[in-house]
Amino acid sequence: MKLAPLLLALVVSATSATAAPRRDSHAFLDQGRWWGVNVSGMEFKDELPVKPQDIDFYADAGAKSIRLPVKRARLQTPEKLAALDALIRRGTARGMLMVIDEHSYGNIGDPDIRDFWLRMGRRYRGQPLVAFDLQNEPKGGTWVSWGPDARDLIQALRKAGVDNQLILEWRGWSGFGRADRGEHPKKACESALCSLNRAGIFTLADLDPLKRTWLSPHRYFNRGGSGATPECRPYPPTGPLGNSVKAARKLGMRLYVGEFAFGRAKTVPLTCKAMVDDIVAFFRNTPEVVGGAAWGWGPRWSKTYLFRGESIGDRTKSWDTENGRLIRSLWAK
């Protein structure tokens, strides 16, 4: 009889040792096709608030993700936070990935950015459909400091219990051409991969202990990829995301294309029409690409903005334009 407790302990120990590994509640995100739009409005100085019915407008059209540009300095009051909560609730209830994008163009090593995301983490922890785009097109610092600063921010959030999907942009406007430039070891860094590697970051696990961070190139198709003009120029043989895909493969990471555009509601330039089918096919068929958000949507843009997506007047006609049809072609299953 005295052996019973020992046998019970052995059974419990064996059961624990063979128990199934804990399921990752966020794993489905890497398998998704999270294509949608940027919905601007909350980042402007004279804000035109985005409302829950705006989220419905895009969800009804088939969008799978919404990137919401915000500025942390303007999310300080209970009223502003409640407005953001309402958008997040509506989007996640519709099954969309809601990306909160800190759109201040700041230095990713700034303590204020860390404090902001710690607050957002406490607010939206445990919600797999809420992702954090840590800093839009970061400025400040140097290429040498960007990689360590990104790692330190991500690991500080994880240490504090923030479990949301994270999205990482880099210096140089997060341009596709600045993801990996193949710098010689004796040369200065001018790309995201170089900065990460020289900080000892060679895999996703080195960067994020939860392995829940995506890289986010921005891809406009004009000369230089700046998005300052509407025309499209031929992209490199490696595809319209070029070395962003190479960098992602080397690190074992995924890509969320945080900004791209083909045209606007009135027209798609002829130079873009000539190549857009190939671009859409590349976006859809490249396994590292999990989705993205077209730029220029939302209620705030002027009638003359070169990437305004919504039709003037009756917004429901937005999807009948060439640009609207092209954007939605990415959303098809």
Side-chain angles (χ1 to χ4, degrees):
M1 296 297 293
K2 291 183 179 180
L3 292 176
L6 177 59
L7 290 172
L8 179 59
L10 290 172
V11 170
V12 171
S13 177
T15 302
S16 300
T18 59
R22 186 177 179 182
R23 180 177 175 271
D24 182 355
S25 61
H26 293 66
F28 72 98
L29 293 172
D30 279 348
Q31 310 305 318
R33 306 303 288 174
W34 305 105
W35 291 104
V37 292
N38 282 269
V39 180
S40 288
M42 299 184 75
E43 78 273 35
F44 289 93
K45 184 175 180 180
D46 51 337
E47 296 174 44
L48 179 62
V50 182
K51 299 179 180 178
Q53 53 264 43
D54 295 314
I55 303 301
D56 285 331
F57 173 69
Y58 298 108
D60 290 343
K64 302 299 188 295
S65 74
I66 296 290
R67 184 174 181 255
L68 284 171
V70 302
K71 291 195 174 181
R72 63 186 186 279
R74 298 180 188 142
L75 275 178
Q76 300 294 328
T77 67
E79 293 77 16
K80 297 279 181 68
L81 290 167
L84 180 61
D85 288 343
L87 301 179
I88 297 298
R89 281 196 302 271
R90 184 63 61 88
T92 55
R94 298 294 303 266
M96 290 195 292
L97 177 68
M98 300 297 289
V99 179
I100 302 173
D101 157 43
E102 211 298 298
H103 210 80
S104 296
Y105 302 91
N107 182 348
I108 199 167
D110 189 331
D112 286 347
I113 292 177
R114 181 179 302 191
D115 292 344
F116 172 74
W117 288 119
L118 287 171
R119 288 193 290 115
M120 290 296 102
R122 289 190 291 270
R123 199 171 192 91
Y124 299 114
R125 182 183 300 160
Q127 299 189 48
L129 286 175
V130 181
F132 299 157
D133 191 336
L134 297 173
Q135 185 58 61
N136 180 72
E137 299 178 354
K139 297 181 180 179
T142 65
W143 277 112
V144 172
S145 65
W146 174 83
D149 286 345
R151 175 198 58 207
D152 292 349
L153 172 59
I154 290 168
Q155 294 189 1
L157 297 179
R158 297 311 190 204
K159 186 175 180 180
V162 178
D163 60 357
N164 304 74
Q165 181 70 41
L166 305 179
I167 296 174
L168 181 63
E169 303 182 32
W170 47 89
R171 292 168 50 79
W173 308 104
S174 209
F176 63 99
R178 289 284 186 172
D180 176 12
R181 306 193 78 173
E183 294 92 333
H184 189 278
K186 294 183 179 180
K187 297 291 185 179
C189 276
E190 294 182 337
S191 70
L193 184 66
C194 175
S195 183
L196 292 170
N197 285 173
R198 292 190 188 178
I201 301 163
F202 296 95
T203 68
L204 175 55
D206 295 332
L207 179 68
D208 179 353
L210 292 184
K211 296 192 283 189
R212 291 179 191 161
T213 298
W214 293 333
L215 297 175
S216 184
H218 291 182
R219 186 49 165 118
Y220 295 93
F221 299 99
N222 65 309
R223 185 181 182 89
S226 65
T229 56
E231 83 281 355
C232 292
R233 295 289 292 258
Y235 50 80
T238 50
L241 293 181
N243 56 20
S244 297
V245 175
K246 291 196 299 179
R249 286 173 179 165
K250 290 175 182 178
L251 293 164
M253 297 181 70
R254 298 287 192 267
L255 299 171
Y256 179 87
V257 189
E259 294 181 18
F260 66 94
F262 299 133
R264 61 189 180 114
K266 282 190 175 182
T267 184
V268 174
L270 290 175
T271 52
C272 297
K273 291 180 186 179
M275 54 194 286
V276 75
D277 288 343
D278 286 344
I279 294 170
V280 169
F282 184 91
F283 280 176
R284 287 180 60 85
N285 298 328
T286 301
E288 286 80 12
V289 179
V290 297
W295 183 253
W297 296 76
R300 179 62 179 83
W301 296 109
S302 70
K303 296 179 181 180
T304 58
Y305 181 54
L306 74 165
F307 291 130
R308 179 188 171 99
E310 291 193 19
S311 297
I312 303 297
D314 184 359
R315 70 190 310 200
T316 62
K317 294 181 179 179
S318 303
W319 311 121
D320 298 326
T321 67
E322 279 187 307
N323 187 53
R325 288 195 294 271
L326 288 173
I327 298 302
R328 289 186 76 188
S329 68
L330 280 166
W331 306 351
K333 294 181 179 179

